[in-house]
Amino acid sequence: MNKVLIVEASESDRRLMSGLLMRAGYEPIAVDKMEAAKDEVEKLPPGAVIVADHRLPDGSAKELAYWQKGEGFSFPVIAIVNNLNGSDLLEVMSDGGAVNVIQRAAIDKQLVETVGKYAKPENIVLQLDNTLIQRSSKAFRKIEQSIERVAATNANCIIFGESGMGKEQIARKIYLQSNRTQKPLIVLEAGGAALVGRHDPESDRSEMLNRIEGYFQEAKGGTLVIKNVQLLTFEKQSVLLHILEQEHPDVRIICTANSSLLKMVADETFRDNLFFILRQTSISVPPLRETTEDIPDIAAYLLTRYAQKKRQLKKRLDASALKALKIYPFPGNVRELKDVILFAAFHTPNDAISESDLSFSQSEPETDSGFKLQDPAMEKAKITAALEQAEGNKTMAAKLLKIDRSTLYIKMRQYGLK
């Protein structure tokens, strides 16, 4: 496995990044200071990658990049930045500093993908392409019908759903089924470096306008996909709105977003006029914990791909593994399922993967699993749903509900549940 050195002062972010990288098949090493990082760099094997905070208490990502090159090392350094403004990027990436950046607010979405660009491909467990994994659930069939309806029009669309549910893959499938396939498809990350403007001293126009307008020109006649549109700064929102209202480009826009976008519109931190232009239609993607019947299909696809890459016989999940996968809430959704399945396949010498081979992360950010008891009016329904998903296993149901077993029994008696 490739080693990834994490240099980060925040303990919670170190845990989060370590968990994400472990499930993706990497071996993370986490430190909080520059001196400790230098000691670890000297031990790193070929193919390793460094992820470092842009500003550390005793140094910076750029300083670490300079130091290691001066010592004869050439490990790529990816910097974590709080804001993607031009001055920060110029500082950290100029003169042979960091090779790329990750915005702190989007660590869970950008970390594994960005590290994968610089780690040695032959040592990565498995990188999936942009294919939408087929599933047999009623919810997925409904999504496929929505894709066909949207593709038949030129309407802008927002695809709502939690991280890791394949929203970009849905956007790409809309493009492939549309009448715009002969024209370009441009994919941008709203919180990424690609949307940071470049200063043009010969132009009196906004550098942000020049940059974003350039992507529309590249995508002319085609489709522009904006991932995680809720991460657009207010300045970028204003520029995007200006282009759409004043220039009316011949480009269909498909955005991906999580539910926080709706709250941002209500709180007026995301411009409502831009929101309604982008959301001429929408697709909602339910989280994996609500479509657990899809887990066997997705797992079978992943194990087939893994077997093809490793040129070995395909492994399978036994009944205990399937049950454990269906009970676990998967806050990281399909992306996390992929990591769990491939990590187990990599480390299991047997043909069958059992529950004991599965490793679930203990360092996920807090996520509403859909069962957590918060609204007394919904308690009975949530308890019933948790018991059904856990197939009557009280310990597992209590875990889903985020309560202890004794509290579950009290609640069951209170609502007359057997």
Side-chain angles (χ1 to χ4, degrees), residues 150-156 174 178 180 222-224 250-254:
V150 175
T153 73
N154 281 317
N156 295 332
I174 291 172
S178 74
R180 292 178 175 266
T223 302
L224 181 64
D250 179 21
V251 175
R252 188 231 284 272
I253 302 177
I254 304 176

Side-chain angles (χ1 to χ4, degrees), residues 165-375:
M165 278 305 299
K167 299 187 293 296
E168 181 186 345
Q169 286 72 24
I170 292 173
R172 288 176 179 272
K173 194 161 186 180
I174 291 172
Y175 164 75
L176 291 172
Q177 292 187 14
S178 74
N179 62 2
R180 292 178 175 266
T181 51
Q182 302 305 313
K183 298 295 183 178
L185 171 69
I186 304 296
V187 181
L188 297 174
E189 166 62 59
L195 284 181
V196 176
R198 289 176 178 168
H199 178 60
D200 181 1
E202 298 181 0
S203 173
D204 58 359
R205 290 158 51 92
S206 159
E207 58 188 66
M208 187 71 69
L209 175 60
N210 288 339
R211 171 60 68 91
I212 296 179
E213 197 175 56
Y215 289 117
F216 275 94
Q217 291 169 358
E218 283 185 53
K220 186 176 181 180
T223 302
L224 181 64
V225 175
I226 304 178
K227 297 166 56 178
N228 302 305
V229 71
Q230 74 277 359
L231 296 177
L232 285 177
T233 64
F234 209 77
E235 179 188 6
K236 293 174 187 175
Q237 294 174 37
S238 300
V239 170
L240 185 57
L241 179 63
H242 169 82
I243 292 172
L244 295 174
E245 286 189 331
Q246 302 299 321
E247 302 180 13
H248 307 288
D250 179 21
V251 175
R252 188 231 284 272
I253 302 177
I254 304 176
C255 299
T256 71
N258 61 31
S259 59
S260 67
L261 178 62
L262 300 175
K263 186 175 187 304
M264 291 173 68
V265 174
D267 294 341
E268 299 184 353
T269 55
F270 195 97
R271 301 187 63 151
D272 58 352
N273 45 359
L274 175 61
F275 171 77
F276 290 115
I277 291 174
L278 297 175
R279 197 214 61 181
Q280 293 173 343
T281 186
S282 64
I283 296 175
S284 181
V285 185
L288 187 59
R289 60 183 171 273
E290 294 179 9
T291 56
T292 55
E293 63 269 38
D294 285 333
I295 288 177
D297 292 334
I298 299 169
Y301 173 86
L302 294 169
L303 290 171
T304 298
R305 288 289 309 275
Y306 180 80
Q308 292 169 345
K309 179 179 175 63
K310 294 296 183 181
R311 298 182 181 179
Q312 58 183 222
L313 293 176
K314 178 183 172 182
K315 298 184 179 183
R316 62 179 178 83
L317 300 171
D318 69 13
S320 70
L322 279 172
K323 183 176 181 180
L325 290 170
K326 288 184 176 182
I327 290 173
Y328 181 69
F330 282 107
N333 293 296
V334 175
R335 183 185 293 122
E336 184 178 5
L337 172 63
K338 181 203 79 169
D339 296 336
V340 170
I341 293 291
L342 298 180
F343 192 79
F346 185 83
H347 289 284
T348 304
N350 304 319
D351 294 335
I353 298 171
S354 65
E355 180 181 4
S356 61
D357 298 316
L358 302 176
S359 176
F360 299 108
S361 175
Q362 302 300 314
S363 58
E364 288 288 354
E366 279 294 318
T367 304
D368 182 2
S369 69
F371 294 106
K372 188 174 180 181
L373 299 182
Q374 295 174 326
D375 182 357

